[in-house]
Amino acid sequence: MQFLQALVDGILLGGVYAVISIGLTLVFGVVSIINFAQAEFLMVGMFVAYFAWKLLGLDPLLGSLLSFAVAFVLGVLTQKYLIDRVLKAPAVAQIFLTVGLLIVMENLALILFGSEFRSVQTPYQMTALAVGPILLSAPYLLAFTVASVAGLSLWWVLKKTWWGMAVRATAQDPMAARLSGISTHRVHQLAFGLGVGMTALGGGIILPYLTASTTVGAQFSVLMFTAVVLGGLGSVIGAVVGGVAVGVIQSLSSLVLPMQLQNLVLFAIFILVLAVRPEGLLKRAG
């Protein structure tokens, strides 16, 4: 029974990891750059949702929409004034830029918010829904529900709208997209904004059961990169599969390992997949 409970918890956690990781894989798939500062936008999302709760009285699940909006604007500006300048530069310049952005964002947050941990209080924080012998944590279940809606909404946008068609065309062949009249610069800006916005939204919805801090990005970098490597960097469906897999692995490993060693398991899987199947489980070319 303990195994089944851990499996259910892992799936619920994995759904949230999936929507967080979708942002990273979307940025890579469209803009063709690995954003090492992606997890810092999750940190931004957590702080936006926290202050929306503290100052405006918004539930973090509603505040996550504000997190998305703030991160989307920051992402568009970042792509337009920073990322776009190194897209044709050597890969090492792209790495240095995004790692530098990570350092700047983390230290700026430390100056603005300090080093203390911040948490919220919600009416459902300590409640659970009993389904037979299984207990579904209300914060986990609600976060999973919001993440699922966000993921399905993104899928609908990418598959059913003109903008989604432009995104897919730009990801597949930027030159052909430009010849078709698509502004790839605008698509890059919107895709980058949407990618970091999805990650920030994930930061908002996990706030009811996690604390916000300026260093939280380091914790989630491991989860995000493991998820996208498992599923295939650049594959949105792969990010979903990888995110759920990471959630299940993390939850099940807690049955036999102390919390301090759980990320070690993820690191080991990350390295193993890179060594054996670097294209990921769903083989999205990158």
Side-chain angles (χ1 to χ4, degrees), residues 217-227 246 263 266-267 270:
Q219 171 188 348
F220 280 91
S221 287
V222 177
L223 301 174
M224 291 165 56
F225 278 97
T226 303
V246 165
N263 277 355
L266 293 177
F267 267 125
F270 179 82

Side-chain angles (χ1 to χ4, degrees), residues 229-230 268-281 283:
V229 165
L230 280 173
I269 294 173
F270 179 82
I271 294 171
L272 180 63
V273 172
L274 281 178
V276 176
R277 194 180 178 85
E279 71 274 19
L281 298 177
K283 302 181 66 173

Side-chain angles (χ1 to χ4, degrees), residues 251-284:
S251 184
L252 293 180
S253 65
S254 68
L255 297 177
V256 295
L257 293 173
M259 184 177 297
Q260 296 86 341
L261 295 180
Q262 289 176 24
N263 277 355
L264 181 61
V265 174
L266 293 177
F267 267 125
I269 294 173
F270 179 82
I271 294 171
L272 180 63
V273 172
L274 281 178
V276 176
R277 194 180 178 85
E279 71 274 19
L281 298 177
L282 300 187
K283 302 181 66 173
R284 168 68 163 87

